Amino acid sequence: QVQLVESGGGLVQPGGSLRLSCAASGSILSINAMGWYRQAAVKQRELVAAITMGGSTNYADSVKGRFSISRDNAKNTVYLQMNSLKPEDTAVYYCTGDVVTGWVPYAKINYWGQGTQVTVSS
């Protein structure tokens, strides 16, 4: 009844930029924190960036100064602007959101998208 769908991944050269989007749809009352995680081959999933409903953000040290997270609450969408990309940024990127559902008992449930591949290579 709630879906998160990412878009914007692809192949980019080192130093390039990509913008990821994640749109939530379904029976949604509100979305608290939203974030982006990534998982590279043979590595654990790690937090990239997160943003609260009020706009407070935090970032992994490895992406500070290069990535920027933002959201449009009216569209239930979160974005990740990725600049100065490096080969080590190659991973599947997942978005997540703490959704307050629109049906009784209006529970807060953590949802995940299906992931989008980002490959940084020359």
Side-chain angles (χ1 to χ4, degrees):
Q1 287 159 309
V2 174
Q3 280 191 314
L4 273 64
V5 179
E6 300 102 334
S7 61
L11 173 65
V12 64
Q13 291 187 340
S17 297
L18 281 175
R19 189 189 194 211
L20 305 183
S21 300
C22 173
S25 62
S27 184
I28 297 170
L29 198 60
S30 63
I31 307 178
N32 294 339
M34 302 187 78
W36 290 92
Y37 283 71
R38 67 186 180 187
Q39 186 166 18
V42 301
K43 288 190 175 182
Q44 288 188 331
R45 192 173 295 189
E46 62 175 358
L47 174 69
V48 176
I51 185 168
T52 66
M53 184 184 291
S56 297
T57 59
N58 68 285
Y59 297 90
D61 288 343
S62 59
V63 307
K64 281 181 181 176
R66 300 188 297 122
F67 290 12
S68 177
I69 189 170
S70 61
R71 64 189 286 173
D72 184 332
N73 292 331
K75 295 181 179 179
N76 289 330
T77 300
V78 63
Y79 306 96
L80 185 68
Q81 178 67 44
M82 304 185 294
N83 300 325
S84 303
L85 282 160
K86 304 175 181 180
E88 50 264 42
D89 295 317
T90 295
V92 178
Y93 283 70
Y94 299 90
C95 76
T96 182
D98 291 333
V99 177
V100 178
T101 58
W103 63 88
V104 176
Y106 309 112
K108 186 172 74 173
I109 301 174
N110 181 241
Y111 286 91
W112 289 79
Q114 82 288 350
T116 185
Q117 177 70 46
V118 171
T119 302
V120 184
S121 175
S122 54

